[in-house]
Amino acid sequence: MRIVFVGPPGAGKGTQSQRLVERLAIAHLSTGDMLREARQKQTKVGRLAEEYMAAGKLVPDELVLALVGERITSPDCARGVLFDGFPRNVKQAEELDAMLAERRMAIDMALELAVDDEEVIRRLAGRGRPDDEPRVVAERLKTYWGQTRPLLDYYRGRGILETVRGDGTIDQVFARVLKAVDKRAGRGGARGSE
Ligand code: ADP
């Protein structure tokens, strides 16, 4: 199964992703993690991405798409992939669809983790990542609303969007996530290319 996970920063995508990839035995592709690793290793992509990440803005599509393109051909992605934090705008979604179509694959479901802005700000305040300072958080939220949220319409239009609420305990949220995945899998998503 190939799933796109969409939600504002601080929605808890990372935590839920870890559980979900374990449960479904699929690969976890987090562009945020990949970019942080590239930055830490000071690769060319990492150095180019740095200033965008620090400002809470999207890293240019070409850089992110190159990273993803490389990764989805690796064997661990054959059984399925959870795309976490990618795509983040409609252009990236279209490019992902094209990359998958070349391999006769498709996204089976888009999973929205819905959390409101006040909750996001409250949660990120306690986390302490360098891009979690209030000014950058505000910018990341603006980026989310302006560029990433339109993706929900993109996937809704394809009839593959499921929304779950991100409030409550980790277990409560995970139960909702599994229910949404089961519902989608029941419609053929788990079989692959529908
Ligand atoms: P969060 O979901 O908490 O914002 P991520 O780890 O997904 O955190 O992303 C951190 C930063 O990395 C983003 O603010 C952005 O600068 C960059 N980034 C991650 N994924 C993408 C992407 N798909 N396209 C562009 N930039 C990205």
Side-chain angles (χ1 to χ4, degrees):
M1 200 176 195
R2 275 166 296 272
I3 304 172
V4 162
F5 208 2
V6 188
K13 288 197 303 294
T15 310
Q16 297 297 328
S17 288
Q18 273 169 12
R19 290 200 166 192
L20 191 56
V21 297
E22 239 172 72
R23 178 66 69 98
L24 300 179
I26 59 178
H28 182 200
L29 192 159
S30 158
T31 47
D33 286 350
M34 290 163 82
L35 287 167
R36 274 185 291 278
E37 196 189 318
R39 190 181 56 186
Q40 207 184 344
K41 289 187 179 156
Q42 287 285 300
T43 65
K44 194 164 164 235
V45 170
R47 284 197 304 272
L48 289 168
E50 208 153 21
E51 59 173 306
Y52 298 94
M53 297 174 78
K57 295 191 191 312
L58 292 188
V59 170
D61 293 337
E62 311 79 66
L63 296 182
V64 174
L65 289 164
L67 284 178
V68 172
E70 214 172 279
R71 175 77 201 279
I72 60 171
T73 57
S74 70
D76 70 311
C77 290
R79 273 209 58 182
V81 183
L82 180 65
F83 294 93
D84 171 9
F86 173 88
R88 243 178 165 95
N89 58 28
V90 172
K91 170 86 182 359
Q92 292 182 6
E94 288 169 350
E95 293 287 337
L96 175 62
D97 282 347
M99 274 191 247
L100 291 175
E102 270 177 27
R103 300 178 174 83
R104 299 187 191 290
M105 293 173 182
I107 295 297
D108 303 298
M109 98 182 265
L111 183 61
E112 179 197 6
L113 193 56
V115 175
D116 58 37
D117 283 5
E118 293 89 271
E119 176 68 11
V120 162
I121 290 165
R122 207 176 56 76
R123 288 188 190 180
L124 293 182
R127 207 167 67 170
R129 221 168 66 187
D131 57 350
D132 287 342
E133 65 165 283
R135 207 165 26 88
V136 183
V137 166
E139 190 61 35
R140 279 158 66 205
L141 276 175
K142 211 171 98 188
T143 304
Y144 180 73
W145 280 92
Q147 301 191 56
T148 307
R149 252 188 136 267
L151 272 186
L152 300 177
D153 287 332
Y154 178 88
Y155 290 117
R156 193 178 288 117
R158 279 168 172 60
I160 59 169
L161 180 69
E162 299 285 344
T163 298
V164 303
R165 282 178 20 227
D167 62 304
T169 66
I170 291 174
D171 286 342
Q172 282 168 339
V173 177
F174 190 56
R176 293 179 200 136
V177 164
L178 283 184
K179 204 169 142 198
V181 168
D182 282 347
K183 182 175 156 196
R184 185 53 51 182
R187 291 189 196 151
R191 286 198 297 274
S193 56
E194 240 175 64

